[in-house]
Amino acid sequence: MKMIEASGARIPALGLGTYKLTGETCVGMVAKAIEGGYRHIDTARMYGNEREVGEGIRASGVDRSDLFVTTKIWYEDISADRLVSTAEAALEALGIGAVDLLLIHWPNPRIPLEDSISALNEAREKGLTRHIGVANFPSTLMDDAAAMSAAPLVCNQVEYHPLLSQEAVLAACERHDMALIAYSPIGQGGELLQHPTVTGIAQRLGRTPAQVILRWEIEQPRVGAIPRTSNPDRLSENLDVFSFELSDTDRTALNDMTRQRKRLVDPSFAPSWDRV
């Protein structure tokens, strides 16, 4: 498994996203993923499934120290008087001890960023998490947050794939020695999986379109991906992206897709609250 090095953190480049996984399905998918080789598991307070994610981790039989677990604090709970207690509730639900990475899920313009970053640092100082970071932050806000934080911010988790350029965010990650962790890494609604550039590469390599996209992402030095699925068969398919490489021609073609359709999330964006 490729590891991303970012400000002292070592993050497995491919993980399991758990958005919309609930109940025994969530428990089973997490356990099966870990048994199959996944070592990076992502959840969030907003998902309402931290308890089930924790059950799946324990059911896997894999030592906790071998896993990298992330959870996120929802934008309504990132104030100075709520973030730490919310993080404590998250750890209680997970039941696996401190998490490896605690993120602010979305910025909140109604709460001073300095208060949120200070509280995030406090959660780390209290031993609730090994590392801290953010999610859905545009590059200018990343710069502000990094300057305010006593401890390094190790990642920004954002939507990223060949139909959604994140050039400014990637540049900010480079400036601050941060990783970009891509959610919805194979897009939404199937458009990306049916794109002729992607399907053409997949057919030539004897791979699935999803594998081609995930390979494109994890080949980038600072990029990891957390695809989510409720289909057990997809777990092994998504993980099987380390046994082949894209050609320079393939990479160029996929890179060109982002230039042709540059839907930049930066420098301003309108949050879509039904996304992760």
Side-chain angles (χ1 to χ4, degrees):
M1 173 73 72
K2 172 190 171 185
M3 305 294 285
I4 305 169
E5 307 276 351
S7 290
R10 298 186 76 247
I11 307 172
L14 194 72
L16 175 69
T18 62
Y19 181 50
K20 292 188 176 180
L21 292 181
T22 60
E24 288 304 312
T25 297
C26 181
V27 175
M29 288 295 290
V30 170
K32 185 176 179 63
I34 295 171
E35 291 164 3
Y38 285 79
R39 293 296 179 262
H40 179 177
I41 306 296
D42 180 88
T43 183
R45 284 264 80 192
M46 185 271 283
Y47 301 171
N49 64 6
E50 287 167 319
R51 194 170 305 280
E52 289 80 4
V53 167
E55 289 180 21
I57 289 171
R58 292 189 294 275
S60 73
V62 171
D63 192 274
R64 168 68 184 92
S65 64
D66 293 332
L67 304 177
F68 191 97
V69 180
T70 300
T71 195
K72 303 182 282 291
I73 305 298
W74 192 232
Y75 78 107
E76 294 175 334
D77 298 316
I78 62 173
S79 59
D81 61 339
R82 295 186 66 171
L83 190 149
V84 170
S85 61
T86 303
E88 290 171 339
L91 264 60
E92 181 179 359
L94 280 162
I96 58 170
V99 293
D100 299 281
L101 180 58
L102 183 69
L103 305 180
I104 291 174
H105 203 152
W106 284 91
N108 188 335
R110 297 185 297 276
I111 296 173
L113 180 60
E114 190 168 7
D115 289 357
S116 298
I117 296 299
S118 176
L120 190 63
N121 275 266
E122 183 182 351
R124 180 181 178 274
E125 291 160 5
K126 286 180 173 289
L128 305 180
T129 181
R130 293 173 55 222
H131 303 288
I132 55 176
V134 296
N136 300 298
F137 272 47
S139 65
T140 52
L141 211 55
M142 290 173 67
D143 290 337
D144 292 342
M148 293 172 182
S149 185
L153 303 178
V154 305
C155 92
N156 187 8
Q157 188 181 115
V158 296
E159 183 177 357
Y160 179 48
H161 48 72
L163 290 179
L164 179 56
S165 172
Q166 291 286 12
E167 290 178 16
V169 168
L170 283 165
C173 285
E174 184 69 29
R175 285 197 297 275
H176 302 297
D177 191 20
M178 295 169 66
L180 185 155
I181 303 300
Y183 69 75
S184 298
I186 57 176
Q188 303 187 50
E191 177 186 6
L192 182 55
L193 297 177
Q194 298 166 17
H195 193 285
T197 296
V198 175
T199 57
I201 295 171
Q203 183 175 14
R204 183 176 56 78
L205 293 177
R207 296 285 176 165
T208 67
Q211 287 175 323
V212 167
I213 297 162
L214 291 172
R215 180 70 199 186
W216 174 79
E217 285 157 345
I218 65 164
E219 283 189 356
Q220 299 174 53
R222 292 189 175 273
V223 177
I226 47 170
R228 64 179 174 90
T229 181
S230 58
N231 182 343
D233 294 335
R234 292 282 186 269
L235 290 174
S236 56
E237 176 188 318
N238 289 344
L239 192 62
D240 186 20
V241 293
F242 299 98
S243 59
F244 73 100
E245 292 184 1
L246 300 173
S247 69
D248 289 341
T249 301
D250 296 334
R251 294 186 196 97
T252 298
L254 293 165
N255 291 340
D256 284 346
M257 288 173 61
T258 68
R259 299 187 184 101
Q260 294 161 7
R261 185 173 177 177
K262 189 178 279 190
R263 298 184 300 155
L264 284 170
V265 171
D266 197 274
S268 62
F269 62 97
S272 176
W273 303 117
D274 63 343
R275 296 185 177 182
V276 292

